[in-house]
Amino acid sequence: MHKDDPTTLAAAEAAGNALKPSPAMDAFWMPFTANRQFKKAPRMLAKASGMHYWTPEGRQILDGAAGLWCVNAGHARPKIVEAIAAQAAEMDFAPPFNMGHPKAFELAERLVEITPKGLNKVFFTNSGSEAVETALKMAIGYHRARGEGTRTRLVGRERGYHGVNFGGVSVGGIVGNRKTFGPLLTGTDHLRHTHDLGKNAYSRGLPEHGAELADDLERMVALHDASTIAAVIVEPVAGSTGVLLPPKGYLQRLRAICDKHGILLIFDEVITGFGRLGSPFAAGHFGVTPDLMTVAKGISNGSVPMGAVFATQAIHDAFMTGPEHVIEFPHGYTYSSHPLACAAALGTLDTYAEEGLLTRAATMAPVFEDALHSLKGAPNVIDVRNIGLVGGIELTPIAGQPGKRGFDVLLACWERGILIRTTGDTIALSPPLIVEKTHIDQLVGTIGEVLKVTA
Ligand SMILES: Cc1ncc(COP(=O)(O)O)c(C=O)c1O
């Protein structure tokens, strides 16, 4: 326990947390984790409520990352907890192939009430990675169904993250995630990323410079010909490579080039979906509607794994040909529209609606922005950027050890009772959308202190 932390043990014990011994740690091979480091100095979470986690020892941790960009309504919200418990007792599982259950249909109808106009078909998955694979397949299948079977090329962007399956890694642009796994999918290409500290450092909201980088797509058309390109996939705001915001006008320009050449535009809204920017979806926020949109995380408030793809009527209808007894889109998962996930998502949508959470980030954004930008001038800070309730604080890397400074900051923050996310040497903040000013002050105050002691 951090010596200055006055809360913790008593509060956690009052909340029903007994001291628990650490379990054996050998068997579990942890995902996206430095396993050997972790097992020497574990960071364990045992309980969560509202804006906080507690460790097994009862230490309170303020959640500055909404878990992993997913717990948008805060932890253990009663409507969601009750919905999951009731569904588990009523019906645990129903096969999603050739069978249906009422909550899946109800959820799809509820979701298309809040998606940008035109995205009115929903295909359920269990994660963001699966949503991405599904959207890429839909894009290729759509062109084929319309007699344009040569359109198979998929274009992503440098520094893009689209999950960990082969399609997503192939269109993704993170070298560390790509180099280990062989040649990946052939027939992909990548736009340049839009991150330019020389021109855009300390931007508040969208950066001024870089809309013309969307013209990379024109160059790809000139090189490969539009008749070979199925789709372009981008995150409207990239989270996993360090909070990269789209330059003003960039997404509009990308949309226009896609329209000109019959290329589908896919927005990966796994992070931006469900209120993160201050609007229900980034597409609505920026006034640019994609043809396909992937979501996960906030769809069920992180409580039960779930993802989804939203598609236009035209894409859906292109598949609806041939004999009626034949499966039109040969794709799906055993747990697509799992009853527990559907119940959790319905409870989540109720919570978002009752508390106005899908737009609350817009109200809190100015407070968050001012607090974040107060870190300008703190040791090793080279940029601060923000939109809605997403903040990025970029640090100078330690020479020869990229990522080490970021990781040291994460560890020191954990010691002081806040959970942050770092990607490389960038701190990414994305607190639950129920965050109050006092939480923001604690997050930013602690980071400021840590930057001094780790300098
Ligand atoms: C933009 C984006 N796409 C896809 C994914 C993958 O989602 P999952 O980890 O649920 O497979 C993520 C995860 O952070 C993401 O940020």
Side-chain angles (χ1 to χ4, degrees):
M1 184 183 303
H2 185 248
K3 64 181 171 29
D4 299 328
D5 190 344
T7 45
T8 66
L9 202 49
E13 277 173 356
N17 258 321
L19 291 174
K20 296 182 196 115
S22 280
M25 293 200 158
D26 204 37
F28 180 26
W29 187 352
M30 298 174 72
F32 269 129
T33 299
N35 275 252
R36 289 160 301 163
Q37 188 281 341
F38 183 95
K39 289 173 188 182
K40 281 187 193 140
R43 299 174 294 282
M44 301 286 272
L45 302 168
K47 184 181 168 74
S49 174
M51 283 295 301
H52 294 96
Y53 281 107
W54 284 265
T55 68
E57 301 76 31
R59 191 162 71 89
Q60 190 183 51
I61 308 286
L62 176 62
D63 185 359
L68 195 51
W69 309 88
C70 43
V71 186
N72 287 2
H75 295 273
R77 300 308 309 274
K79 279 243 155 123
I80 305 172
V81 174
E82 284 156 22
I84 297 168
Q87 185 59 47
E90 189 176 291
M91 182 172 71
D92 49 1
F93 176 78
F97 307 163
N98 286 319
M99 296 291 149
H101 69 89
K103 286 201 175 70
F105 292 90
E106 184 188 346
L107 177 60
E109 296 296 328
R110 289 277 303 277
L111 285 167
V112 299
E113 282 170 18
I114 59 168
T115 51
K117 200 166 171 299
L119 292 171
N120 58 354
K121 299 288 174 187
V122 190
F123 193 101
F124 289 112
T125 69
N126 307 291
S127 66
S129 298
E130 290 179 358
V132 166
E133 304 304 298
T134 303
L136 298 177
K137 282 182 166 182
M138 279 180 181
I140 291 172
Y142 162 76
H143 289 299
R144 184 186 160 94
R146 292 167 54 255
E148 288 199 74
T150 56
R151 285 191 184 263
T152 55
R153 191 177 304 279
L154 299 166
V155 177
R157 191 167 55 184
E158 293 169 356
R159 295 189 67 161
Y161 181 61
H162 302 291
V164 290
N165 294 341
F166 273 104
V169 174
S170 302
V171 291
I174 305 181
V175 63
N177 293 358
R178 295 167 58 87
K179 66 180 180 191
T180 315
F181 306 113
L184 306 175
L185 287 191
T186 55
T188 60
D189 213 334
H190 294 75
L191 309 171
R192 278 172 294 168
H193 67 74
T194 62
H195 191 43
D196 185 347
L197 276 190
K199 290 187 181 145
N200 290 323
Y202 298 102
S203 58
R204 290 176 175 241
L206 300 191
E208 289 295 331
H209 303 283
E212 69 285 355
L213 288 162
D215 297 345
D216 276 5
L217 186 55
E218 285 285 12
R219 288 171 51 188
M220 274 164 209
V221 168
L223 180 66
H224 302 297
D225 198 74
S227 65
T228 69
I229 305 178
V232 177
I233 181 166
V234 292
E235 300 151 273
V237 173
S240 299
T241 50
V243 183
L244 310 184
L245 309 179
K248 282 182 187 159
Y250 174 88
L251 294 173
Q252 287 78 356
R253 205 146 154 174
L254 204 55
R255 175 74 272 183
I257 300 170
C258 285
D259 287 346
K260 184 172 153 199
H261 297 292
I263 298 167
L264 295 180
L265 179 61
I266 307 173
F267 275 180
D268 185 346
E269 293 229 26
V270 166
I271 277 178
T272 50
F274 300 97
R276 181 55 52 200
L277 305 187
S279 307
F281 297 93
H285 198 80
F286 296 125
V288 177
T289 307
D291 303 290
L292 292 160
M293 185 169 91
T294 54
V295 299
K297 299 192 188 257
I299 190 172
S300 56
N301 205 41
S303 60
V304 179
M306 184 171 231
V309 179
F310 296 95
T312 60
Q313 186 79 40
I315 290 176
H316 169 268
D317 288 354
F319 287 90
M320 300 298 139
T321 57
E324 286 207 358
H325 70 281
V326 174
I327 291 166
E328 301 103 351
F329 181 46
H331 177 78
Y333 304 95
T334 298
Y335 301 121
S336 285
S337 67
H338 191 283
L340 261 56
C342 289
L346 285 165
T348 298
L349 291 183
D350 287 343
T351 307
Y352 288 158
E354 281 162 20
E355 300 178 15
L357 293 180
L358 295 182
T359 50
R360 188 165 187 275
T363 313
M364 295 308 289
V367 180
F368 190 57
E369 177 175 287
D370 284 344
L372 286 174
H373 283 266
S374 72
L375 292 171
K376 185 173 182 177
N380 296 309
V381 171
I382 53 173
D383 188 29
V384 177
R385 41 190 186 266
N386 65 285
I387 185 167
L389 278 172
V390 187
I393 303 152
E394 187 162 341
L395 309 175
T396 351
I398 298 173
Q401 293 181 291
K404 173 82 167 56
R405 191 184 308 283
F407 192 56
D408 288 349
V409 167
L410 178 139
L411 295 180
C413 284
W414 166 258
E415 289 290 313
R416 287 164 177 74
I418 65 166
L419 176 70
I420 60 164
R421 174 113 179 97
T422 53
T423 63
D425 289 300
T426 299
I427 300 168
L429 292 180
S430 58
L433 306 175
I434 56 170
V435 70
E436 298 291 350
K437 184 173 182 310
T438 48
H439 303 124
I440 292 173
D441 290 344
Q442 185 185 342
L443 282 173
V444 174
T446 306
I447 291 169
E449 182 189 318
V450 162
L451 289 173
K452 280 189 204 134
V453 298
T454 55

